[in-house]
Amino acid sequence: MAAPVRRSTKFIKPPKKHGPNISVDEIWSKLSVNIVEILNHRAELLSYEENYRYAYNLVLYRAGDTLYKGACKLIAENLDKLAEQDIKSVFPSGSSDNAIQQSQESELLLKAVRKVWDDFTTSLLRLRDILRYMDRVYTTSARVPETWDTGLLIFLEHIIRPPFQGHIIAAILNQIQTEREGFDINRSAVKGCVDVLLSLEERNGDMTIYKRDLEPEILRESEAFYKAEGEKLLETCGAPEYLQRVESRFDSEESRTHHYLSSQTDAPLRRILEQHLLSPHLPSILHKLHSGLDFMIDGDKLDDLSRLYRLFIMVPEGLPLLKKALRESVIRRGTEINASSTGTDITSQKANEDEDLSSKAKGKGKARPPVTLATQTLQIALKWVQDVLDLKDKFDIIWSRSFKENRDIEATLNEAFGSFINLNAKSPEFISLFIDDHLKKGLKGKSELEVDLVLDKTITVFRFISDKDIFETHYKKHLSKRLLFNRSVSDDAERGMLAKLKVECGTQFTQRMEGMFHDMKISSETMEAYRKHSEQAQNLNIELSVIIQTSTFWPTMGHQTPCVFPELLIKASKSFEQFYLSRHTGRRLTWQPWLGSAEVRTAFNSGKTHVLNVSTLAMVILLLFEDLDGSEFLTYEDIKSATDIEDTELQRQLQSLACAKYKILKKHPPSREISTQDSFSFNAEFSSPLHNIKISTIASKVENADERKETKDRVEEERRYSMDACIVRIMKDRKHMTHNDLVNEVTRQLTGRFLPNPLDIKKRIEGLIEREYLERCEDRKSYNYVA
Amino acid sequence: MATEQNGATQSSDDWVRLISADGYKYFVKRKIVLVSPTLRSMLDASSNFAEAASNTCRVNERGAVLEKLLEYLSFKFLYENASLNEDIPDFQERIAPEIALELLTAADYYDS
């Protein structure tokens, strides 16, 4: 080491000059030769140190300007040369009309541009290394860009300029177009060139050349292309195919922007697609004949529908249009269902004026016209509900699978369902009948779970009904029949249904029905006690079972026909009355025999004894024959005077005894209808393989016009009370309210049960003013509560 | 510090040869040499200059200056990422006044 030498010399040597002392021009001429070498990729032979020192010296000798300008000139010359030899040679000939050839030419051009770029950037990188000292010391003070940026600017000026620029952009557009038409292109070639444009920036500002020159062109071209494409597709294919094509267009454009364009083009390009493929064509897609929305729904084309949904929610106007179309579709289907139910109704009305409504299908299998008609109307009701349920199911599936459970769409669907269900005035009754049918015999064929499922669905339909009070009336009637005739298959199912209704409408709604269940329970307890009691007291030869109904809970049913009980019954009923009143004082019992049933043990000539299950009234009639000889007759008038049963009811009972499947009585003359001139005798020859015989009352439960009117009146009345109560409740709370507020509040509170008419509310308010619950204020617009 | 006058270690890729203007040769670990940006570009394989190809840099300085330069590079390499509480010795003390000016220009040249 040279350390000792260094230590011994005690003076500081001035730094020697770097490099040989030669002139600036000489250095530059040497350096420029080397720069050209570097630009031509022959750097391996050059010494970095040497060239770095040249540049260093030039900058040191204040010749940075010469160096910078000289380098720029060399770079520019080199680029011009490259452009000349590489790009010019592959300029598209422009003469050929052949699309494939054009595409190939474009590809070649793009590749050439990329090659020039690659060449250029590698040499520029080396140049930057050499000129590092200049970048560090000279450029900032001289306020010029550093070597690399300068190089890019030079590239911009010499390559991205007419005519090159036009050709490059045309080539890129050509490639995109080619791919859109379904041909394969060399994506990497396009990408290479696009990348070049992306990395180039304008001299001032930060806009890339891609953004400035290429993107607007691409967007313009795309717009024209898709505008034409949209119209063409709409003409040539059906809605599902159209949607499919559109979706694949979306996908391919997205992959295009990802793979070889810039992601910044993604959004504007998408907008173009939306604007030209979707927005203007949405209505035509929805309503396309034989392939539009309805067709897809009909065919349960869930995939197509999901696609439709996906595309529609892309544009702001899509969802409202879809909702509107869905609404129309649901309402149209609903109206069809409604029409099919009323349509049959009209025919049945022709057959029988009175029987325009459904009934409980009691006498199934009987060949009587009224019964069939009743069954038929019941069938209509059941079919209606089933159809509605099916429709609901269908749309639910579509909604959950295809529409991604969109809340807006759900609301629309519900609204549509509600509107068509409420269009059918009988819907509350139909639904009640449907539930009745399932609770009555549903469990036979289905498991409890299945019935539960069906009932759950029914509840969803029930939700749409606005006149819930009408439903309540019908449901109560059906429920009471099920309870009294012991028809409901399972108590649990009944209670389950009740619980469901309670959840839907609150306690108030089900209070009375629960009261009915309660009555049933109390009754059976009472009977237990009575049986014990009667064992001790006198022994009657009939077994009595009484159901005590609290009069406000139970609907009044049927005609309240008077009926004269035979001795036997009077005794029994008196004994029960005594027993009951001794336990509960201050109550009144009213017998309602038309709701009861009886089992009569009868011996026939065949030697067999049959147990006949008949209605109480029929039993009363049968008892008349008990003391008669087999050959004796009773005329219609005899029976009537003995029992005092009303004509229509009596005829019905006789019909079921004498003209139905099991003929316990003989009618003279035999025919299907009962007339007041007929006479009857006991049919001792009757025989049947069955021990227990159930004789149902014929067509008794048809709700005819009168009954309907009655139901309606009752509902009207209840509504009046509800409105009164509601108004008073509100006014008691608020003391003072304007008319409009009051009407709104009443409507709001009552909509759970029914939709009150503002006019009716007004009438009720007037009534209340008359009865001095309220008073009108001086401004004539509001009311005060009078305590 | 690995300054050797003769090529005792056969050059693997990790070693670089530096030759001073007056003929001294130094074998230095590449990672230490690369601390200087100038030397880094000189040896950059992608631009592939003669220095990179031969793995040898001719440094236009006296041996004494070059040695101090290399000493500084390894000093910088060692302490560049030192934690705050570590005791960093002062490098100034090690610079002999007689080479200070030359070292200054060299430092500018090698950007370190």
Side-chain angles (χ1 to χ4, degrees):
Chain A
M1 281 245 193
V5 185
R6 222 172 41 194
R7 282 266 170 228
S8 62
T9 53
K10 280 287 178 191
F11 68 99
I12 296 171
K13 245 170 98 180
K16 64 164 189 323
K17 293 263 189 278
H18 284 288
N21 253 334
I22 45 172
S23 74
V24 167
D25 290 343
E26 219 168 312
I27 301 176
W28 169 243
S29 65
K30 282 187 179 166
L31 181 57
S32 61
V33 171
N34 286 346
I35 289 179
V36 172
E37 287 294 293
I38 289 170
L39 289 173
N40 287 329
H41 308 289
R42 289 195 286 268
E44 311 84 49
L45 308 170
L46 300 176
S47 157
Y48 175 85
E49 215 279 339
E50 186 188 335
N51 291 295
Y52 182 81
R53 191 165 292 280
Y54 288 148
Y56 171 80
N57 285 334
L58 281 173
V59 173
L60 228 52
Y61 296 147
R62 311 198 175 277
D65 196 43
T66 324
L67 172 61
Y68 181 78
K69 292 217 172 102
C72 286
K73 197 165 149 270
L74 289 176
I75 295 170
E77 276 168 7
N78 175 257
L79 267 179
D80 280 344
K81 196 187 80 198
L82 281 176
E84 201 67 36
Q85 86 189 35
D86 285 345
I87 300 181
K88 270 259 173 72
S89 60
V90 293
F91 263 6
S93 54
S95 57
S96 143
D97 287 336
N98 187 339
I100 298 169
Q101 200 180 332
Q102 270 181 13
S103 155
Q104 278 169 348
E105 280 173 1
S106 301
E107 191 186 322
L108 275 178
L109 175 67
L110 294 177
K111 275 183 175 162
V113 171
R114 178 69 194 190
K115 183 170 164 286
V116 169
W117 169 257
D118 286 342
D119 267 12
F120 172 70
T121 45
T122 38
S123 30
L124 189 62
L125 268 174
R126 281 179 200 165
L127 210 54
R128 183 178 67 172
D129 285 343
I130 296 284
L131 301 179
R132 182 178 292 279
Y133 194 78
M134 181 187 85
D135 277 348
R136 221 172 78 221
V137 178
Y138 171 74
T139 49
T140 31
S141 60
R143 301 228 174 90
V144 288
E146 295 190 354
T147 319
W148 176 257
D149 298 325
T150 311
L152 294 188
L153 285 174
I154 295 171
F155 185 86
L156 194 57
E157 275 161 24
H158 287 262
I159 302 291
I160 310 300
R161 62 167 168 96
F164 301 106
Q165 188 186 20
H167 281 299
I168 293 170
I169 289 172
I172 293 175
L173 292 179
N174 173 285
Q175 292 290 287
I176 293 175
Q177 182 68 22
T178 310
E179 200 186 40
R180 277 191 186 139
E181 277 162 9
F183 302 102
D184 280 340
I185 59 161
N186 185 344
R187 281 184 163 198
S188 60
V190 183
K191 180 173 171 49
C193 201
V194 167
D195 281 348
V196 172
L197 297 182
L198 266 173
S199 49
L200 287 174
E201 281 185 2
E202 270 184 319
R203 190 180 279 271
N204 49 355
D206 43 11
M207 205 189 214
T208 59
I209 298 304
Y210 171 84
K211 196 89 183 162
R212 190 190 72 185
D213 295 341
L214 184 58
E215 193 181 88
E217 290 295 318
I218 291 178
L219 295 182
R220 221 190 40 201
E221 192 92 336
S222 310
E223 198 167 329
F225 175 76
Y226 282 116
K227 199 167 172 171
E229 166 100 348
E231 275 154 21
K232 195 186 83 201
L233 278 181
L234 201 64
E235 262 173 40
T236 49
C237 36
E241 202 191 336
Y242 181 87
L243 293 170
Q244 226 161 356
R245 293 275 184 90
V246 170
E247 196 175 51
S248 71
R249 281 294 183 198
F250 269 97
D251 287 349
S252 67
E253 288 302 333
E254 199 184 322
S255 93
R256 195 161 294 137
T257 52
H258 276 192
H259 283 108
Y260 61 88
L261 296 179
S262 155
S263 53
Q264 38 184 319
T265 316
D266 197 28
L269 201 54
R270 237 180 124 81
R271 215 164 306 124
I272 285 176
L273 285 177
E274 284 163 8
Q275 274 165 11
H276 293 283
L277 288 183
L278 289 176
S279 298
H281 302 311
L282 293 181
S284 355
I285 298 167
L286 283 178
H287 299 117
K288 218 160 203 297
L289 213 60
H290 306 308
S291 66
L293 180 69
D294 267 342
F295 178 81
M296 295 184 210
I297 293 173
D298 280 338
D300 285 325
K301 299 202 181 316
L302 292 178
D303 287 346
D304 288 341
L305 284 165
S306 345
R307 189 169 300 117
L308 179 111
Y309 173 75
R310 277 202 300 276
L311 291 173
F312 268 57
I313 53 168
M314 282 182 187
V315 284
E317 58 268 56
L319 194 58
L321 275 171
L322 177 62
K323 272 157 62 179
K324 188 162 157 274
L326 278 172
R327 209 183 109 83
E328 278 163 9
S329 169
V330 170
I331 292 186
R332 190 180 52 71
R333 283 155 208 271
T335 323
E336 270 167 26
I337 295 175
N338 281 348
S340 76
S341 79
T342 43
T344 337
D345 257 13
I346 291 163
T347 46
S348 63
Q349 261 169 355
K350 274 179 200 154
N352 189 330
E353 277 296 325
D354 279 346
E355 288 167 351
D356 65 334
L357 261 193
S358 49
S359 80
K360 300 185 119 194
K362 290 185 69 180
K364 41 186 160 128
K366 291 193 181 174
R368 290 185 161 271
V371 178
T372 354
L373 208 56
T375 329
Q376 203 184 337
T377 36
L378 173 74
Q379 291 309 331
I380 289 167
L382 296 185
K383 187 168 174 305
W384 183 84
V385 178
Q386 194 57 55
D387 284 352
V388 173
L389 284 182
D390 290 348
L391 190 64
K392 174 91 179 124
D393 268 357
K394 190 182 180 83
F395 276 93
D396 274 352
I397 289 172
I398 292 174
W399 174 71
S400 63
R401 299 247 186 95
S402 298
F403 296 156
K404 300 201 179 132
E405 313 205 343
N406 183 306
R407 292 288 150 206
D408 268 3
I409 291 181
E410 186 187 26
T412 311
L413 287 177
N414 284 348
E415 190 215 319
F417 270 98
S419 67
F420 89 76
I421 286 174
N422 285 314
L423 271 181
N424 187 350
K426 290 174 206 152
S427 51
E429 189 183 358
F430 283 178
I431 292 169
S432 174
L433 271 171
F434 184 79
I435 297 171
D436 181 63
D437 191 60
H438 273 84
L439 286 175
K440 213 161 57 185
K441 52 183 185 177
L443 293 187
K444 275 177 200 159
K446 297 173 181 170
S447 75
E448 233 169 281
L449 259 177
E450 278 170 328
V451 172
D452 210 49
L453 213 66
V454 172
L455 293 180
D456 265 342
K457 278 187 204 153
T458 321
I459 286 287
T460 62
V461 178
F462 165 73
R463 226 171 267 156
F464 297 129
I465 296 179
S466 55
D467 295 333
K468 296 214 168 51
D469 52 344
I470 299 184
F471 172 83
E472 188 194 351
T473 318
H474 286 291
Y475 190 77
K476 255 160 58 185
K477 199 157 46 183
H478 293 140
L479 175 65
S480 72
K481 277 177 199 161
R482 286 201 298 276
L483 290 177
L484 289 181
F485 299 112
N486 204 13
R487 283 253 190 64
S488 70
V489 180
S490 132
D491 205 42
D492 283 347
E494 286 283 0
R495 284 182 185 280
M497 190 64 210
L498 212 54
K500 278 173 199 148
L501 290 175
K502 200 167 169 179
V503 168
E504 283 303 312
C505 303
T507 343
Q508 211 198 346
F509 190 79
T510 52
Q511 207 177 23
R512 294 179 188 175
M513 303 176 199
E514 273 166 10
M516 287 157 75
F517 277 103
H518 189 65
D519 279 354
M520 293 302 289
K521 214 175 111 212
I522 297 285
S523 299
S524 68
E525 280 166 17
T526 314
M527 283 323 294
E528 195 86 5
Y530 173 68
R531 227 164 267 137
K532 271 187 199 144
H533 165 84
S534 56
E535 268 169 26
Q536 295 157 9
Q538 74 269 48
N539 243 336
L540 294 168
N541 53 353
I542 62 167
E543 226 176 84
L544 187 66
S545 166
V546 182
I547 295 165
I548 297 125
Q549 303 170 264
T550 313
S551 57
T552 48
F553 290 162
W554 297 71
T556 43
M557 287 190 304
H559 315 278
Q560 311 220 349
T561 48
C563 163
V564 177
F565 283 172
E567 195 68 18
L568 202 60
L569 271 186
I570 289 173
K571 239 168 82 187
S573 57
K574 278 278 180 281
S575 121
F576 180 79
E577 246 171 78
Q578 262 171 16
F579 164 77
Y580 187 77
L581 294 176
S582 71
R583 291 172 61 122
H584 308 271
T585 48
R587 292 200 184 174
R588 205 161 59 97
L589 277 181
T590 318
W591 293 94
Q592 306 207 327
W594 54 90
L595 295 177
S597 63
E599 282 186 359
V600 186
R601 196 181 296 271
T602 322
F604 291 96
N605 283 358
S606 55
K608 271 195 194 162
T609 312
H610 290 280
V611 174
L612 303 180
N613 191 324
V614 293
S615 69
T616 313
L617 293 183
M619 177 194 69
V620 171
I621 298 169
L622 280 181
L623 281 178
L624 296 177
F625 292 90
E626 193 179 16
D627 300 328
L628 294 180
D629 205 345
S631 54
E632 280 183 84
F633 292 91
L634 285 177
T635 61
Y636 181 86
E637 287 302 326
D638 288 339
I639 299 172
K640 185 170 164 52
S641 60
T643 58
D644 208 14
I645 301 174
E646 201 189 59
D647 272 335
T648 44
E649 189 67 24
L650 180 62
Q651 277 171 20
R652 233 166 42 181
Q653 298 295 344
L654 284 172
Q655 198 173 32
S656 56
L657 285 172
C659 312
K661 193 174 170 194
Y662 305 107
K663 295 183 174 53
I664 312 299
L665 296 182
K666 271 191 199 154
K667 190 169 89 77
H668 308 278
S671 75
R672 294 213 142 182
E673 301 301 318
I674 306 289
S675 89
T676 44
Q677 273 78 47
D678 291 343
S679 55
F680 301 89
S681 66
F682 183 66
N683 180 13
E685 311 298 326
F686 177 83
S687 72
S688 162
L690 296 169
H691 181 66
N692 285 321
I693 294 167
K694 187 168 170 60
I695 297 170
S696 336
T697 316
I698 289 160
S700 59
K701 303 304 184 279
V702 179
E703 192 178 52
N704 54 33
D706 286 347
E707 279 173 319
R708 254 186 101 191
K709 193 170 167 298
E710 206 185 306
T711 315
K712 214 179 143 218
D713 287 349
R714 207 177 314 130
V715 169
E716 286 296 318
E717 200 184 317
E718 290 224 351
R719 285 184 178 184
R720 279 201 293 277
Y721 290 138
S722 310
M723 281 190 273
D724 279 354
C726 190
I727 293 168
V728 171
R729 216 163 39 232
I730 294 167
M731 287 308 289
K732 198 169 178 177
D733 193 35
R734 308 277 180 96
K735 305 295 182 211
H736 175 90
M737 234 181 163
T738 64
H739 175 78
N740 287 343
D741 284 352
L742 182 58
V743 171
N744 285 343
E745 186 63 19
V746 171
T747 317
R748 198 183 61 77
Q749 290 197 6
L750 289 179
T751 25
R753 288 176 61 77
F754 61 94
L755 272 182
N757 183 342
L759 263 181
D760 291 340
I761 300 177
K762 193 158 175 268
K763 248 181 235 162
R764 298 322 303 159
I765 294 174
E766 274 158 16
L768 286 169
I769 291 173
E770 247 163 59
R771 281 183 278 160
E772 298 191 335
Y773 281 98
L774 305 178
E775 64 177 15
R776 227 186 280 276
C777 289
E778 296 199 342
D779 59 0
R780 314 284 297 159
K781 273 185 219 149
S782 52
Y783 308 102
N784 277 338
Y785 179 69
V786 182
Chain B
M1 192 62 234
T3 55
E4 291 170 31
Q5 293 203 318
N6 296 309
T9 323
Q10 277 310 304
S11 74
S12 75
D13 214 22
D14 277 342
W15 296 87
V16 178
R17 192 204 319 252
L18 295 147
I19 305 172
S20 74
D22 44 2
Y24 292 101
K25 290 178 184 168
Y26 298 86
F27 281 91
V28 190
K29 282 221 161 147
R30 180 184 289 273
K31 60 184 177 186
I32 287 167
V33 175
L34 294 188
V35 171
S36 154
T38 308
L39 289 171
R40 177 189 284 274
S41 346
M42 202 180 285
L43 291 166
D44 189 354
S46 66
S47 39
N48 202 21
F49 283 101
E51 282 89 348
S54 63
N55 234 354
T56 308
C57 299
R58 291 192 170 276
V59 177
N60 199 3
E61 304 286 348
R62 290 192 299 137
V65 179
L66 177 57
E67 191 182 325
K68 195 48 83 178
L69 180 71
L70 291 173
E71 192 182 334
Y72 174 70
L73 289 181
S74 43
F75 173 84
K76 191 179 179 196
F77 179 81
L78 190 61
Y79 292 110
E80 197 165 35
N81 296 317
S83 57
L84 279 174
N85 47 12
E86 201 174 325
D87 202 17
I88 302 175
D90 196 355
F91 193 77
Q92 255 177 20
E93 290 171 7
R94 304 199 215 165
I95 301 171
E98 57 270 31
I99 60 160
L101 257 174
E102 271 181 88
L103 197 59
L104 205 60
T105 41
D108 178 49
Y109 189 83
Y110 291 102
D111 197 8
S112 56

